[in-house]
Amino acid sequence: MLGRNRFLLLLLAGGVTLAFVSLSLQFLNLTPTASTERQLDVQEGAELAKSRKRVFPETHPPGPNSARDPYSYCNTPNGSEQAWEGHSPADYRLLSVQVMIRHGDRYPLYTIPKTKRPAIDCTLSASRSPSHPLLTSYISHMGLGGRAKWEAPLNSVPRIPNHSSCEVGELTQTGVVQHLHNGQLLRQAYRHHSVLPSDWSPHQLGVETTSRSRTVQSGLAFLYGFLPDFDWGRVSVRHQWSTLFCGAACDCPARNRYLEEEQRRQYRLRVADRELEKTYADMARTVGVLTRHLRAANPIDSLLCHLCHGLPFPCASAGGGNAGKCLTMEQFAVIRRQQRDDDLDRSRVGLYRKYATLAMHPYLNQTATKMERASREGARREEVFSLASGHDITISPLLSALGLTEASFPRFAARVVFELWRSPKQTKKSSSTGERSKGKGGGLFIRILYNGEDVTFHTAFCRSHDRHAGQPLCPLENFLSFVRRDMFGIVNATSYREACYGR
């Protein structure tokens, strides 16, 4: 998210706006360049059991309107969230869970010139709001982090935020509480499924994160809320150098070409927006800087921080001719309007969807492989719970690659959950005869949830499946076929290699 690189130089030279952090749309760094990737280092049990027996309700993905309220992007922690993780028809068995999270609330990455930085304390205190019942023990427990196994360069990353005056991009106490809440929410959702038994082995838990302190700390907060007995000795944390979590399969020239074409589309649309240009000129005059310097400071990032933390918008520094003048909500609204326009144009043109397909295939393929392994009988040593801690530029292309084009932009502490289920018929057959599953998806089903909402039947691979005919879940075979072949149809290919190198 720190990389501005070649694109920033282009924007400065042309005198047009930088891409902005968006609550309902995309940021510039929603589509990172290859160099950007490298720079980015409750309900009680009875109620849960009862509701889990229901056939799933008709659900709808969080659409663009749900993100138009900026406070939904802030994701202020509260206890009223409805989560559908862990719900299933009667007697279905949960085999594995894979979770991708965005880091929690953070300090801005950009500072508006000639204005005061927002005054936020990034140390942790249970007596300060927002807080959480686990916060005190979490702070104490993180001091024992040296007992875990850390891949380099994660060893030197602090386990908790610890600056009284937040540093750039640092996780705040709000961000920690958001993920303590997320972890505890999923702990309650899965408590009766024993997806991780009490005697779980290190092989059964997978944790990976980028090297940014905000993703490392968010992942730890989530795990601490999720695991009843957080045992450092059984935790191994893998380092993922790419924000796309593509591992050894990151090289894809076509992906980079789609990215460059998408960035040019963004550039052209912003150049043509006269109201946006006038707004930025007005904002620049207010704080006493050149318009191009204001754009380069990505002011929406700072404005969102002020909004989420209940702080007044930035004002011009004392002593200048504009002392006392402040940026306004009306100016903020113009930027958001342009971002909504960009979102519509992005969907119409389709370049971002192509980029996202190639960007997230390696992660989705890894997800599919883990599901296949977890479905084998006697898979005691397989990874059955996986946590990946990433960024908005991780989750946004993941949603697009799955075909969830109407899903809201990833808020702070957003989560995407993949669940693997086995039907009762398959379970009984296996236990009585010892016979393994036949075929890739026999008796196996997948659910995908976004921020607690079941969005499975809005995905590209299960949109046409009749959920009321025979099985109310989506067959795993649909997902496997999609990941291994069908998803490449959008780029006129049949495999990842052909899609990346065939043009």
Side-chain angles (χ1 to χ4, degrees):
M1 297 173 69
L2 297 176
R4 290 172 282 182
N5 302 337
R6 180 178 53 183
F7 190 46
L8 175 56
L9 295 176
L10 177 62
L11 294 180
L12 291 174
V16 296
T17 105
L18 248 169
F20 309 111
V21 178
S22 169
L23 14 152
S24 59
L25 313 167
Q26 65 183 50
F27 304 8
L28 162 64
N29 45 20
L30 184 146
T31 52
T33 62
S35 59
T36 304
E37 295 170 13
R38 290 173 173 82
Q39 289 176 0
L40 278 167
D41 302 307
V42 203
Q43 294 177 330
E44 291 300 317
E47 271 301 307
L48 283 169
K50 179 180 178 182
S51 62
R52 196 174 291 117
K53 301 297 183 181
R54 307 179 195 137
V55 173
F56 300 123
E58 295 289 344
T59 59
H60 304 278
N65 289 337
S66 67
R68 290 181 181 172
D69 174 6
Y71 295 101
S72 66
Y73 175 82
C74 300
N75 189 20
T76 303
N78 62 69
S80 62
E81 182 179 358
Q82 175 66 50
W84 285 98
E85 286 95 345
H87 291 244
S88 73
D91 301 323
Y92 275 59
R93 179 186 169 198
L94 183 62
L95 301 181
S96 77
V97 176
Q98 297 180 59
V99 183
M100 172 69 79
I101 60 173
R102 183 195 175 187
H103 60 74
D105 178 82
R106 57 153 173 80
Y107 198 73
L109 298 174
Y110 304 91
T111 301
I112 299 177
K114 297 189 178 182
T115 64
K116 290 184 178 180
R117 289 170 33 124
I120 299 174
D121 187 348
C122 274
T123 58
L124 303 181
S125 171
S127 62
R128 190 171 69 244
S129 181
S131 190
H132 191 278
L134 293 176
L135 185 58
T136 299
S137 60
Y138 165 79
I139 296 170
S140 175
H141 209 78
M142 289 303 106
L144 307 175
R147 300 178 184 177
K149 296 178 181 177
W150 299 87
E151 276 189 0
L154 302 178
N155 315 63
S156 59
V157 178
R159 310 297 181 238
I160 59 175
N162 56 7
H163 295 94
S164 57
S165 180
C166 291
E167 295 191 342
V168 170
E170 187 171 11
L171 194 70
T172 66
Q173 176 159 314
T174 300
V176 170
V177 170
Q178 286 168 336
H179 278 301
L180 286 173
H181 174 74
N182 272 350
Q184 193 172 56
L185 197 69
L186 265 63
R187 173 183 173 181
Q188 293 172 348
Y190 297 132
R191 63 191 297 183
H192 296 288
H193 292 291
S194 299
V195 63
L196 267 182
S198 58
D199 61 343
W200 59 271
S201 72
H203 302 284
Q204 294 177 295
L205 173 68
V207 184
E208 59 182 335
T209 174
T210 64
S211 58
R212 287 298 177 190
S213 62
R214 58 185 174 272
T215 54
V216 174
Q217 294 163 4
S218 292
L220 291 177
F222 181 99
L223 274 184
Y224 193 79
F226 179 72
L227 295 175
D229 299 303
F230 191 101
D231 182 356
W232 279 113
R234 290 190 283 175
V235 175
S236 297
V237 186
R238 301 190 297 267
H239 172 240
Q240 179 56 252
W241 71 267
S242 170
T243 60
L244 300 177
F245 286 70
C246 47
C250 285
D251 185 35
C252 184
R255 180 197 68 207
N256 298 335
R257 288 196 294 271
Y258 287 127
L259 167 60
E260 291 169 359
E261 292 172 18
E262 166 63 12
Q263 290 174 332
R264 285 194 290 270
R265 181 204 62 78
Q266 290 179 320
Y267 173 89
R268 289 192 296 267
L269 191 68
R270 285 192 298 276
V271 168
D273 196 315
R274 294 183 179 274
E275 184 185 24
L276 183 69
E277 175 65 19
K278 180 180 181 300
T279 297
Y280 271 86
D282 291 342
M283 294 172 71
R285 281 193 296 270
T286 297
V287 298
V289 299
L290 296 176
T291 304
R292 66 176 183 271
H293 291 164
L294 183 82
R295 293 192 197 98
N298 197 5
I300 193 69
D301 192 27
S302 179
L303 295 179
L304 281 170
C305 177
H306 284 76
L307 192 75
C308 292
H309 287 265
L311 302 172
F313 276 176
C315 302
S317 301
N322 292 335
K325 294 184 178 180
C326 304
L327 302 182
T328 68
M329 184 64 75
E330 289 74 20
Q331 293 165 336
F332 178 72
V334 171
I335 300 172
R336 293 177 57 221
R337 187 273 308 157
Q338 194 277 335
Q339 293 170 333
R340 288 192 290 272
D341 292 346
D342 182 81
D343 189 49
L344 293 173
D345 192 62
R346 181 183 69 175
S347 297
R348 178 185 64 81
V349 175
L351 289 169
Y352 184 75
R353 177 76 184 278
K354 294 177 180 180
Y355 159 78
T357 294
L358 300 185
M360 295 312 298
H361 171 262
Y363 174 78
L364 289 172
N365 189 50
Q366 181 187 64
T367 299
T369 300
K370 288 180 181 178
M371 286 185 171
E372 288 180 306
R373 290 174 177 171
S375 70
R376 299 169 185 164
E377 292 300 318
R380 171 68 181 174
R381 293 179 59 83
E382 296 297 339
E383 191 174 298
V384 293
F385 188 89
S386 305
L387 174 66
S389 184
H391 305 258
D392 50 2
I393 55 176
T394 312
I395 289 186
S396 188
L398 176 59
L399 296 171
S400 183
L402 290 169
L404 297 170
T405 55
E406 295 184 0
S408 57
F409 188 86
R411 66 193 189 188
F412 285 131
R415 66 183 187 272
V416 180
V417 177
F418 297 79
E419 296 177 344
L420 175 64
W421 295 86
R422 174 168 282 152
S423 67
K425 181 178 180 181
Q426 183 67 25
T427 301
K428 292 176 183 177
K429 181 177 180 180
S430 297
S431 61
S432 60
T433 66
E435 183 179 342
R436 295 188 177 185
S437 302
K438 296 188 179 186
K440 292 182 179 178
L444 300 172
F445 302 89
I446 186 174
R447 290 181 73 214
I448 296 180
L449 302 102
Y450 180 45
N451 295 332
E453 291 284 338
D454 186 346
V455 295
T456 311
F457 292 96
H458 300 278
T459 60
F461 62 87
C462 221
R463 198 172 292 140
S464 60
H465 179 74
D466 186 357
R467 64 186 300 180
H468 301 292
Q471 290 289 354
L473 296 181
C474 181
L476 177 64
E477 180 63 33
N478 287 30
F479 179 65
L480 298 180
S481 297
F482 174 74
V483 171
R484 307 280 165 74
R485 183 187 63 249
D486 300 341
M487 69 185 298
F488 303 112
I490 196 171
V491 291
N492 298 318
T494 58
S495 70
Y496 182 61
R497 181 170 182 81
E498 180 187 352
C500 289
Y501 297 98
R503 288 176 60 181

